[in-house]
Amino acid sequence: MVFGSVISSPRGSLSLQKIITLANVYLENACKSTDPDILLVLCHDAEVSLTQARKTARNTEDKAMREGIATVYIGLGDLLDSHGHRNEAQAFYKKSEKWGGRVHESGRPAHPSGPTNIVHASHSTGPIDKPTPLPSQSPHKQPLSTATIPNNIFPRNLRPPAIAFIPPEPDCRLNDTRQLACCLGLLKSSVEADDVVDLNARNWLQVTKNEPDEKERLKTLTTDVIRAFKRDEFKDAKTVTEVVYLAPVLEKDDFRYLVKEFYSGVDQSGLLDVHQLEGLAHLIQGADTGYIDSDDLVKVLNLLSTRLRDTHQQSTNHLYQLTVAVSHVLDAMADANVNGLDREKIHEPLSSYLDELKGSSDAYLVYQAAYAYQALLCVPDDETLWQATLRRSGKVIQGVSGLVSAVKGLDLNGFIEGLGKIQEGLAGASEIVEVVKTAYDGALSLGKSGQGFFTCLKEGFSFNMKCAWYTALRGADALIREGQFAEFKKLVYEAPCRLDAAFQWGVCQRLEEVAASSKWDVETRQGAVSFLVEMYQNDAVWGKQANIKQWIVDILIQLSSLPGGECNVLIESQLQVLQSNGDAEKQAMYQTCRENGPGSHPLKIDMPEIGSPSLLDRVQERTDVEGTIRQLRRQRLKERGTAVYIPPQAKASLQARDEARFPLMEKVDEFLESDRQVLLLLGDSGAGKSTFNREFEYHLWQAYKKNGTIPLHINLPAIDKPEHDMIVKQLRKAEFTEPQIRELKLHRKFTLICDGYDESQQTHNLYTSNRLNQAGEWNAKMVIACRSEYIGVDYRDRFQPGDRNNHSESELFEEAVITPFSMDQVQDYITQYVSVHRPLWEANEYRKALGLIPSLKELVRNPFLMSLSLEVLPRMIDPGQDLSTTHITRTALYDQFIEHWLERGKKRLGEKNMSPQARSAFESLIDEGFTRNGIAYLKGLCAGIYKEQDGQPIVTYSRFKDERSWKAEFFSREEEKQILREACPLIRNGNQHRFIHRSLLEYGVALAIFDPQDWKERQAPESELARRGSVSSVSSSEGDDVMVKGHVTIKQEPDFDSPLARRRFVNEPSVIQFLEERVQQEPLFKQQLLDYIERSKNDKKWRTAAANAITILVRAGVQFIHADLRGIRISNADLSYGMFGSAQLQGADLRHVDLRGTWLRRANLTNAQMTGVQFGELPFLTQDSDVSLCVYSPDGKTFAVGFSSGKIKMYSTSNWEDLWTSEGYRKKVKVMSMVYSPNSNQIASGISDNIVRLWDVQTGASIRALTVHHEVSSIAYSPRGNQIASASRNKTIKVWDVDTGECCCIWIGHTAHVSEVIYSPKGNQVASRGGDRTVRLWDVKTENCLTLNGHSGVIRSIAYSPQGYQLASASNDSTVRLWDVRTGECYHILAGHGGHVLSVVYSPVGKQVASVTNGSVRLWDTNRGVCLHVLEGHNDPVNQVAYSPLGDMVVSASEDKTVRLWDSTTGVCVQTLIGHSRRVMNVAFSPNGDQVASSGDDMTVRLWDVGARTSRYISSGHSLFVYDVNCSPRGAHAVTCSEDMTVRLWDVETGVCRSVMRDHAGMVVCAVYSPQGDQVATGSYDETVRLWSIETGACSLVLKGHTSRILAIAFSPQGDQLASGSHDSTVRLWNLGSGDCSHTLTGHTRAVSDIVYSRNGNHVISCSWDATIRIWDVKTGACDNILTGHNQGIIHIIYSPQEEQVASASGDTTVRVWDVGTGECRHTLIGHYSRVTSVAYSPKGDQITSGSGDGSMKVWDVESGNCLWTFTDHSSRVSGIVYSPQGNLVFSASSDSSVRIWDVTSGHCRAVIQDFRDRVNGIAWIEVSGVSYLVAGGGDGVVGAWQVQLDGGRCDTSLRWMTTKGVFDVKDATIQDVQGLSHLNRQLLTQREAVGEPAHRLREASKKLTTMASVVSNLKASSNSTVKPALTVSALVEQLIQWLQQAQDPLCQDIVAAIVKTIDGYK
């Protein structure tokens, strides 16, 4: 039959006519087909035939033949067009044109004339699936069909996977075989070192290529490994893996030796050795050219063929492995062009056997057999073009190719074209039809579908003929190997064999290998999964072959079960999608696959791990450590347990805001990947540092892999002297042998997790003392944890590697501070805790308690306190207790926890089997009180630990060694001791004992110092005793002595055996904190501490106790104002931020006392011992003219100041004495530039004349003068100090030789004046900026100039980066530009400044630049060009900034008279330095970073000790402006509100802050008490009014409704209603019972500024900025009257006491008095010159006092409207006025920082309070128990109270308490005869206005002089009276002298006596 002969004949042998006939046959069958997939395949075959016909007819002129070709093309086009494939159809139409076909204008063809036997597409019927593009035939020809390639799968090519290359040191041992293989692979590869992209690999290669000895050593090691393999008896998978890694880099002899070894292993093994078989296959597959000759391959193939036949009856798995090995060998033979296989002995038997495997039921085996058969067919052939493109120039080890920049890959286009040629050789459409028809109907499970799969590979199609799919898969392998995944995808989609079942099977196999291999990244592996899913889902592209679909499901199921697979989630989700994909048959097939599970052959995943010890270890004689490491790993993972763990958040530094937090684990992981070596982990006690460290260790152990970095957790307190060999000591504890330890030290890396630095009482730098990362020492990174309060100020030196002033070494250090729990974390903790521990309460009960107990919210933000709270809360809270009134403290939690723990231990022991003796002891303890005995045991143990071990928490007890020591009392074998020890919260590890948490030890010693239960009477029944730590015992925030009825306090003397008297606890902040709370709870303890201090006056043995006591009291907020502390002995105490105003400290021992930020105003320090005292500040330097510049020398030993007068003054920084001062100049000149030489020996100055002068730093001698010929603007030393560059106003730059003074060169280029010149760090370049808006870079050697253009404004500043590769320029065009100094290219333009950029400076390491503009500083990332932080806080422009030497701080100088210190990491303002009286122009850090110097227009240089800055929270009050102060109508407390968004309640007598109310979200501007005094209402800028409970501090009601900020609030007289006035122009009346708004009063047109109720509550009066007053009816909300008359806004209104009148204060400078009844204006009080800010009625209502913005006050007579008095002593705005209850005194607060007391009867100022440092804004008066107090608040957040005593005509004020702002204040303090005070400190005190004589004596004398003046005045008046002058004088003077004698003040007596003697007529 003709048809059959055509089908079976190769196309190339057919005539042209037959080829055209064949194409027509394909076309005809396609037209008949109803299956769209078959239609496309047949069209494809027709296209292939036409391609051959075109080649044959290329030169023919036979018109009929050409028309025949054109006709078939047109037929194909019509068919495809009718099925929706328009693009492919048009391609065929165009091809038909080339062969004579005609095309209509419509684009469709006109068929050629003549008959045709084509069946047109219009004849086809049946449903048409979604069109699918046809496979591509050639990249150079229009493809027949191209499948749509999904963009999301393999979107790009990758670099081949590279191993993490760690270069070995010469002659050092290698870590593992991979490292050895990589080294040899780099040496063997043909790439140059410059082509290697990995920096480590490149550097190593450059060095090692020139080291023949090292190369030879590596080769010898390799040979030794091969020999070790031969000697290995077992040759397991790990050993085979190791030598396979080495195979590609072996020398030829070694390689052939290894092949021989594997050959023998396979040949001689009785049972098939699968491992060696796989090894043999891998070796052959990776063999380099020429390493295996044809004979070798033939022998191997013969062996495998024999074993294949012999294994026929063995397991299918062995058959599969052998077939895979045969395939690899045949692949290699095809690549090597092996010819001449013995057809009879090898070829035919092997092909016959492979042919037999077609009958297997195992689809895997059938495919592998077909693959091997295809490889066999390729062996005897000549090499073709496509094979040449596949060949590689040389094999390299897996991973090495990823280290180089370019790898020659496959020529994909040529390769696909070659596939097309192979495909052309396939004949027969019938087989294709059979293949594609394989569908889902009747599909078997994959395990039984081998025969079904074989139908796709039937005889004559896949086994006996060469097929394109084999070649395509070989190409796919090459692409995958080189990471060319985008090309791989293109190959798969465009291959002409795309629909071939074998090809698809092979593609699936390769995708499975990629998805399962860890060497590829997650994205690539997920891409492989997505590719598989696409092949399953898209039947239109991939067909419906059931066995392929089944295998895809099988692969996905197996992939999903891989442990730790990153793709598992994706796979599971995709499997869910596939479940519902396709029709019912496909879904049924899927379900069958899932039910049957994965197939019999496992996934092909990565090679197994190399064994331990490895072959390389053996030849290097390396000690095996991995086994012990695995044991340690298992142990540590097991010890983690099920503890509750909440991932902590952290911030970058102690100064950073808690809001600037980040996940700590991510930060630590980032640290491990960086070059940094030490990470300091800080946090408060109980913050979770140890918990995190354990979790971090667990995290590292989970990720640990063999030979990886070893995590080592070191509990520092458990290590003896960890400053030496701590790693060795820890490894010995982990049972590592000495050889193992030596091995680890020399060859392994560690991550040290050092916990408890503070607990170990360390002061050493463990990094440096253990010599980490030094030559021959341990290779380790360190994460070290320490409590924040332990480290002190200069803590970096204890942790930072190397020198803190070394920039590179400072970069090795990093810190993180654990922040308190957020509320979300608290909630998560509760959920986990309830789930793990199953406590008495449910989670919702804990959350309820947390929400209702105000004091608990802050406590539970600490993780350890959180755990304590959850454990003991059910015990502390009684059923039905009102939680809103409950107050819980930290100490109370520990009290309850210890009791609960002991009771639980008692119960556990009671259930335990005991010996009779132990049972008896146990019962005795119960009879005596088990809990009390347990507490006594705990206190004694804690006291002993601190006394005997200095607080070291771990007690090591050995019975024979310690039976006579103090330890025996607690750890002996006595039954009672054992029972109590077992009941206490202790843990034991061998012979070591410690508390379960360090804070329990600290609590215990605090309890040993003071236990409330020891101070209470015990005669009453136990039930009457106050429960330890119960809510009732701690709820009094006032510190009242809470005693149970019937009990009396026993008076007891201070105990000298108390730990407080034996050991200093000043540096034990956690202990101090427990004792602080005891002071606040127990007045008895407070008195005991005061007794310690008192006793120290007379007996020095109490000095330790006194120092501890006063430290505790200061920390507890106790103030010592006016305290008698004469002669106290408190050396080494910490009084920082304490209040000691007017304290009597004469003769006190204050040696080494910390007085930072202490308030010592008017204190008497006469004869005090003050050696070593710390003030935290230095004296400032007073100058005689404005300072233009100040600068430290590079060595920090001297400090130079340049003046506007042209002078220079030099200081020694050791004592700050001036060394010399240069002469000034008569003409007006100024020091424009001043710079030290690099060696600090010289200083050069540029004056605003034409001279540059060089000075000797030590002598001040003028070395030389350099004449510039014009005004000098800038000078710079070269880095070597041998040259100076000077810039001049004449547009030139001159370079001078320093030694000779000669001008080396003159650079001309700028077209305007040159403003600045600087040298590059290397000295090879000079940069200059000029008025021409350019920067010019001058080459010092060649003098070439590179001009940097780009700025559009004047350039104000330039700076080189520290490395010198980059330059920054700042300009008036509001930008900073970063330039490449080599090319002149602009890297980044830093835009976003709001104005001119005045200055720019680099950080010391160059990662940041700081730029200055207006009132802010911006910090920029120099790599990315992004703004990191905007430092805002200055109120006026910033003039200069500087980085600290470490780069962690930035200091700024501003025209607002302040200097600010900022954290450069967080952008947080750390400190504001106040002292300058005028703008600050210059600022500089000292070279060691401990000091900052600033200078300004106030003619001073101030020196700030920034190294003494503290992290402790120093403010005891508000942090910002206090807006309002009011006193309670009932009770001794006052309320303040502030810009800091808080409201605070103060005890007026003690200054204790009773509550802090924080719920407002904006500044709080008004706060008023309810008439009953039980509530406070507050108004805020957050548009809400809130009501607060005075008792609990809780917010009870939130009133919302206003649409703008609240400005005024008022309670109704009955307290049931509240009125609020807002900026939204409305008044709202609120019902406080329901919280509803009863009326909204509208009418005002501007903001409502004040509100007041009438006494009966029927009316509300409001005033507004609209200049009106409105009177409102409360019941109806109607406006009864509008009072008009003011012409500007009204600020304040007030009712008269009789409520007949209202007084209003206005911005129009007047006060108006209104008649409430008529609304008439009774008086307009005129006299102020600025707006009236406050007004007050006298208690009787007969006077009004008003205060104004002009600083004046006026007292007005209400009846007449006359001005009685005008007070003008205030120098600034009067902000508040209040009358005394008697009405004779008026108190005024002012913005001039003072409060004044005025006598309105005499018009005199009776007293001035000047204790504030900022403006005073609020003032209030209150009487408590007959004592009068004045309470005031300041603009800096300070609140204070003064006692006011009125004694006849006298008015005395004394400060009772004041909140601290941490400002050191010694104004008027007496320092006469102080001992041990250094010169600098004495100078500081003098500058701060301390005096030699007691200030109060001088002040009294001043008062007496004033009295004398009045005496003289009276004498003059009496001269005209009838009374005799002598008698008048006598009476007055005698009265005065009697007064002075009572005061017993000799100084005043002397002054008065001198004056009296001058009075004429007195004898």
Side-chain angles (χ1 to χ4, degrees), residues 1265-1562:
L1266 312 176
T1267 303
V1268 181
H1269 299 301
H1270 208 280
E1271 181 179 334
V1272 179
S1273 56
S1274 175
I1275 53 176
Y1277 265 100
S1278 65
R1280 294 173 57 193
N1282 60 329
Q1283 290 181 341
I1284 284 180
S1286 62
S1288 172
R1289 304 288 295 181
N1290 68 350
K1291 311 176 188 178
T1292 65
I1293 299 162
K1294 289 190 176 184
V1295 180
W1296 309 84
D1297 186 289
V1298 170
D1299 294 331
T1300 65
E1302 295 179 355
C1303 180
C1304 304
C1305 56
I1306 301 175
W1307 294 332
I1308 301 174
H1310 283 288
T1311 58
H1313 63 273
V1314 185
S1315 305
E1316 185 178 7
V1317 62
I1318 55 175
Y1319 269 92
S1320 67
K1322 296 180 180 179
N1324 61 328
Q1325 195 178 67
V1326 169
S1328 60
R1329 63 177 174 90
D1332 56 6
R1333 304 180 181 180
T1334 68
V1335 177
R1336 293 177 182 263
L1337 307 178
W1338 309 86
D1339 189 290
V1340 173
K1341 290 184 178 180
T1342 66
E1343 302 186 23
N1344 292 333
C1345 177
L1346 178 62
T1347 303
L1348 309 181
N1349 292 299
H1351 283 296
S1352 59
V1354 174
I1355 300 172
R1356 302 292 295 270
S1357 176
I1358 54 175
Y1360 272 103
S1361 65
Q1363 296 77 23
Y1365 299 126
Q1366 197 179 74
L1367 182 133
S1369 59
S1371 169
N1372 281 355
D1373 63 7
S1374 304
T1375 69
V1376 172
R1377 288 177 178 254
L1378 305 183
W1379 310 86
D1380 185 318
V1381 299
R1382 293 164 294 188
T1383 65
E1385 177 187 356
C1386 181
Y1387 281 126
H1388 298 294
I1389 300 177
L1390 311 182
H1393 302 89
H1396 296 174
V1397 189
L1398 308 177
S1399 178
V1400 65
V1401 60
Y1402 274 91
S1403 65
V1405 294
K1407 292 184 177 179
Q1408 285 185 0
V1409 291
S1411 60
V1412 175
T1413 176
N1414 295 330
S1416 67
V1417 178
R1418 290 174 181 262
L1419 305 184
W1420 303 85
D1421 185 301
T1422 55
N1423 291 328
R1424 296 178 293 147
V1426 297
C1427 183
L1428 301 173
H1429 304 290
V1430 179
L1431 313 183
E1432 294 180 319
H1434 286 295
N1435 299 320
D1436 290 308
V1438 179
N1439 290 317
Q1440 193 177 22
V1441 293
Y1443 275 93
S1444 65
L1446 293 178
D1448 57 336
M1449 292 289 164
V1450 172
V1451 66
S1452 58
S1454 170
E1455 296 193 8
D1456 66 2
K1457 309 173 189 177
T1458 69
V1459 175
R1460 286 181 179 253
L1461 201 65
W1462 313 82
D1463 187 301
S1464 64
T1465 304
T1466 64
V1468 173
C1469 180
V1470 178
Q1471 201 171 356
T1472 301
L1473 309 176
I1474 303 172
H1476 285 286
S1477 59
R1478 298 184 67 182
R1479 63 178 183 170
V1480 189
M1481 301 301 295
N1482 304 288
V1483 68
F1485 264 103
S1486 63
N1488 63 7
D1490 289 340
Q1491 293 175 359
V1492 164
S1494 60
S1495 65
D1497 290 350
D1498 59 358
M1499 296 190 293
T1500 67
V1501 175
R1502 294 196 175 251
L1503 305 172
W1504 312 93
D1505 189 355
V1506 297
R1509 63 181 183 271
T1510 176
S1511 61
R1512 175 179 153 199
Y1513 178 69
I1514 60 175
S1515 177
S1516 58
H1518 292 290
S1519 59
L1520 296 172
F1521 196 96
V1522 176
Y1523 274 103
D1524 202 5
V1525 179
N1526 274 297
C1527 291
S1528 170
R1530 299 179 185 179
H1533 45 80
V1535 66
T1536 58
C1537 60
S1538 168
E1539 185 182 356
D1540 66 6
M1541 301 187 289
T1542 68
V1543 181
R1544 290 178 180 259
L1545 196 66
W1546 307 92
D1547 185 291
V1548 171
E1549 293 180 291
T1550 66
V1552 173
C1553 182
R1554 298 180 54 174
S1555 298
V1556 181
M1557 309 162 193
R1558 304 180 185 274
D1559 291 351
H1560 277 297

Side-chain angles (χ1 to χ4, degrees), residues 1786-1798:
V1786 167
F1787 303 85
S1788 61
S1790 171
S1791 294
D1792 66 3
S1793 307
S1794 72
V1795 175
R1796 291 180 178 265
I1797 304 176
W1798 309 87

Side-chain angles (χ1 to χ4, degrees), residues 232-299:
D232 187 73
E233 182 177 353
F234 299 102
K235 294 183 174 58
D236 59 9
K238 295 181 178 181
T239 309
V240 169
T241 298
E242 187 171 359
V243 292
V244 167
Y245 266 112
L246 283 176
V249 297
L250 295 177
E251 295 295 322
K252 184 175 181 179
D253 290 343
D254 288 335
F255 183 87
R256 292 179 61 81
Y257 181 88
L258 188 59
V259 171
K260 180 180 178 182
E261 187 63 31
F262 276 119
Y263 180 93
S264 299
V266 175
D267 185 30
Q268 297 172 12
S269 59
L271 295 175
L272 182 65
D273 190 328
V274 175
H275 303 313
Q276 294 201 58
L277 179 65
E278 289 179 341
L280 180 60
H282 279 294
L283 252 64
I284 293 173
Q285 190 178 28
D288 210 344
T289 305
Y291 273 38
I292 298 182
D293 56 31
S294 300
D295 291 340
D296 295 328
L297 291 172
V298 170
K299 289 179 182 178

Side-chain angles (χ1 to χ4, degrees), residues 455-722:
T455 61
C456 306
L457 306 170
K458 64 165 70 176
E459 190 75 37
F461 173 58
S462 289
F463 268 64
N464 295 338
M465 295 181 61
K466 285 203 300 184
C467 299
W469 63 263
Y470 168 75
T471 306
L473 291 176
R474 297 297 313 282
D477 290 335
L479 293 173
I480 291 174
R481 183 171 53 250
E482 302 301 339
Q484 305 298 297
F485 284 98
E487 303 297 299
F488 165 76
K489 177 175 67 174
K490 180 180 179 183
L491 169 63
V492 172
Y493 271 85
E494 295 185 4
C497 53
R498 187 186 71 222
L499 294 176
D500 198 306
F503 178 70
Q504 291 189 15
W505 188 280
V507 170
C508 292
Q509 185 185 59
R510 283 146 181 82
L511 291 172
E512 162 255 304
E513 293 173 7
V514 172
S517 175
S518 60
K519 71 182 182 182
W520 300 110
D521 59 47
V522 175
E523 181 182 359
T524 302
R525 296 166 68 181
Q526 290 177 342
V529 172
S530 299
F531 206 140
L532 288 166
V533 173
E534 165 70 13
M535 291 180 67
Y536 183 92
Q537 289 181 312
N538 197 341
D539 294 347
V541 174
W542 300 100
K544 298 182 179 181
Q545 301 173 70
N547 35 63
I548 302 298
K549 308 294 184 181
Q550 292 174 61
W551 195 28
I552 292 173
V553 176
D554 183 28
I555 290 171
L556 293 176
I557 292 173
Q558 292 194 67
L559 286 173
S560 67
S561 63
L562 288 179
E566 294 91 339
C567 304
N568 289 5
V569 174
L570 172 65
I571 295 170
E572 288 295 341
S573 64
Q574 293 294 347
L575 284 172
Q576 293 295 325
V577 172
L578 299 188
Q579 184 175 0
S580 57
N581 178 256
D583 54 21
E585 291 177 350
K586 190 174 184 180
Q587 293 179 21
M589 180 212 70
Y590 174 87
Q591 191 61 36
T592 302
C593 292
R594 292 307 301 261
E595 291 173 356
N596 292 334
S600 59
H601 292 284
L603 294 178
K604 183 180 178 182
I605 56 177
D606 291 338
M607 297 174 69
E609 285 289 327
I610 296 174
S612 177
S614 67
L615 298 173
L616 182 63
D617 290 340
R618 298 175 201 173
V619 301
Q620 294 185 117
E621 298 180 352
R622 178 181 293 181
T623 303
D624 180 31
V625 295
E626 284 298 328
T628 312
I629 291 173
R630 286 194 298 271
Q631 293 177 4
L632 177 62
R633 179 177 182 268
R634 286 193 294 268
Q635 174 190 341
R636 297 302 294 172
L637 291 177
K638 182 179 179 181
E639 289 175 358
R640 176 179 179 264
T642 57
V644 176
Y645 175 73
I646 302 296
Q649 300 281 304
K651 57 184 181 179
S653 67
L654 289 166
Q655 293 78 24
R657 295 184 295 267
D658 285 350
E659 293 76 16
R661 61 179 69 196
F662 47 79
L664 178 58
M665 190 66 79
E666 292 181 12
K667 171 61 72 173
V668 179
D669 285 340
E670 179 185 313
F671 160 77
L672 295 181
E673 295 298 323
S674 71
D675 294 330
R676 294 182 286 276
Q677 298 299 323
V678 176
L679 187 144
L680 171 61
L681 180 60
L682 296 173
D684 296 334
S685 176
K689 300 179 295 298
S690 296
T691 303
F692 172 79
N693 282 339
R694 289 192 293 271
E695 189 68 21
F696 176 49
E697 182 198 17
Y698 177 81
H699 168 70
L700 294 181
W701 274 126
Q702 276 194 316
Y704 175 79
K705 294 183 179 180
K706 181 187 171 186
N707 293 320
T709 301
I710 302 169
L712 190 65
H713 186 282
I714 302 178
N715 183 20
L716 293 174
I719 299 294
D720 181 39
K721 297 181 179 179

Side-chain angles (χ1 to χ4, degrees), residues 1088-1130:
Q1088 186 186 71
L1089 296 178
L1090 292 173
D1091 289 344
Y1092 280 128
I1093 298 171
E1094 187 68 25
R1095 284 175 177 259
S1096 74
K1097 294 180 179 179
N1098 302 312
D1099 191 342
K1100 66 180 181 180
K1101 77 173 186 179
W1102 295 97
R1103 59 188 176 189
T1104 298
N1108 286 324
I1110 199 166
T1111 299
I1112 295 166
L1113 291 169
V1114 168
R1115 291 294 299 271
V1118 175
Q1119 299 192 354
F1120 291 86
I1121 298 171
H1122 298 290
D1124 183 2
L1125 302 174
R1126 288 176 290 184
I1128 62 172
R1129 294 178 171 91
I1130 57 168

Side-chain angles (χ1 to χ4, degrees), residues 1795-1866:
V1795 175
R1796 291 180 178 265
I1797 304 176
W1798 309 87
D1799 189 326
V1800 294
T1801 60
S1802 67
H1804 291 156
C1805 178
R1806 303 291 297 276
V1808 182
I1809 297 173
Q1810 294 180 306
D1811 291 327
F1812 285 95
R1813 298 178 65 90
D1814 203 339
R1815 51 188 169 167
V1816 187
N1817 195 57
I1819 188 171
W1821 174 279
I1822 188 173
E1823 288 193 2
V1824 181
S1825 303
V1827 179
S1828 299
Y1829 294 95
L1830 189 69
V1831 184
D1836 56 359
V1838 169
V1839 178
W1842 290 260
Q1843 183 176 334
V1844 181
Q1845 294 180 332
L1846 303 175
D1847 183 9
R1850 297 175 58 189
C1851 176
D1852 293 329
T1853 63
S1854 60
L1855 177 66
R1856 285 297 299 264
W1857 57 267
M1858 177 178 278
T1859 62
T1860 176
K1861 289 293 289 185
V1863 177
F1864 178 63
D1865 193 318
V1866 290

Side-chain angles (χ1 to χ4, degrees), residues 1147-1185:
D1149 182 358
L1150 304 179
R1151 290 174 297 171
H1152 304 288
V1153 169
D1154 189 348
L1155 292 174
R1156 286 174 295 151
T1158 306
W1159 181 276
L1160 287 164
R1161 183 173 288 197
R1162 293 185 295 277
N1164 193 332
L1165 295 164
T1166 302
N1167 291 317
Q1169 299 179 52
M1170 299 185 73
T1171 303
V1173 71
Q1174 302 172 49
F1175 295 121
E1177 300 185 27
L1178 295 171
F1180 57 82
L1181 311 176
T1182 305
Q1183 312 301 336
D1184 56 6
S1185 63

Side-chain angles (χ1 to χ4, degrees), residues 1603-1838:
T1603 59
S1604 188
R1605 56 185 182 267
I1606 311 297
L1607 300 178
I1609 51 176
F1611 273 100
S1612 66
Q1614 295 77 25
D1616 59 344
Q1617 193 181 70
L1618 185 136
S1620 59
S1622 167
H1623 195 269
D1624 65 8
S1625 308
T1626 69
V1627 176
R1628 286 180 177 258
L1629 305 182
W1630 307 88
N1631 185 317
L1632 299 185
S1634 63
D1636 297 331
C1637 177
S1638 56
H1639 295 291
T1640 300
L1641 312 180
T1642 59
H1644 286 297
T1645 59
R1646 295 188 65 189
V1648 178
S1649 53
D1650 204 2
I1651 302 173
V1652 62
Y1653 269 93
S1654 62
R1655 186 177 299 173
N1656 57 19
N1658 293 333
H1659 290 90
V1660 164
I1661 302 181
S1662 62
C1663 64
S1664 168
W1665 283 102
D1666 64 5
T1668 68
I1669 300 170
R1670 289 177 179 261
I1671 303 176
W1672 310 87
D1673 185 288
V1674 169
K1675 291 184 179 179
T1676 65
C1679 181
D1680 290 348
N1681 206 347
I1682 302 175
L1683 312 182
T1684 60
H1686 286 293
N1687 55 38
Q1688 287 190 30
I1690 303 173
I1691 300 169
H1692 185 48
I1693 54 172
I1694 187 171
Y1695 259 113
S1696 66
Q1698 297 78 20
E1699 293 200 340
E1700 298 173 351
Q1701 300 173 348
V1702 168
S1704 59
S1706 170
D1708 63 6
T1709 73
T1710 69
V1711 175
R1712 287 180 179 258
V1713 181
W1714 309 84
D1715 187 297
V1716 175
T1718 64
E1720 295 180 356
C1721 180
R1722 295 273 301 274
H1723 299 292
T1724 301
L1725 310 180
I1726 302 173
H1728 291 292
Y1729 296 101
S1730 182
R1731 63 177 182 168
V1732 183
T1733 53
S1734 53
V1735 62
Y1737 269 98
S1738 64
K1740 295 180 180 179
D1742 58 340
Q1743 288 181 352
I1744 289 176
T1745 299
S1746 60
S1748 169
D1750 61 13
S1752 68
M1753 294 172 56
K1754 289 182 178 288
V1755 181
W1756 311 85
D1757 181 81
V1758 171
E1759 183 65 27
S1760 64
N1762 294 331
C1763 180
L1764 302 177
W1765 303 103
T1766 298
F1767 307 138
T1768 59
D1769 289 7
H1770 282 301
S1771 60
S1772 187
R1773 180 178 71 94
V1774 177
S1775 52
I1777 296 174
V1778 62
Y1779 268 91
S1780 66
Q1782 297 77 19
N1784 61 327
L1785 297 177
V1786 167
F1787 303 85
S1788 61
S1790 171
S1791 294
D1792 66 3
S1793 307
S1794 72
V1795 175
R1796 291 180 178 265
I1797 304 176
W1798 309 87
D1799 189 326
V1800 294
T1801 60
S1802 67
H1804 291 156
C1805 178
R1806 303 291 297 276
V1808 182
I1809 297 173
Q1810 294 180 306
D1811 291 327
F1812 285 95
R1813 298 178 65 90
D1814 203 339
R1815 51 188 169 167
V1816 187
N1817 195 57
I1819 188 171
W1821 174 279
I1822 188 173
E1823 288 193 2
V1824 181
S1825 303
V1827 179
S1828 299
Y1829 294 95
L1830 189 69
V1831 184
D1836 56 359
V1838 169

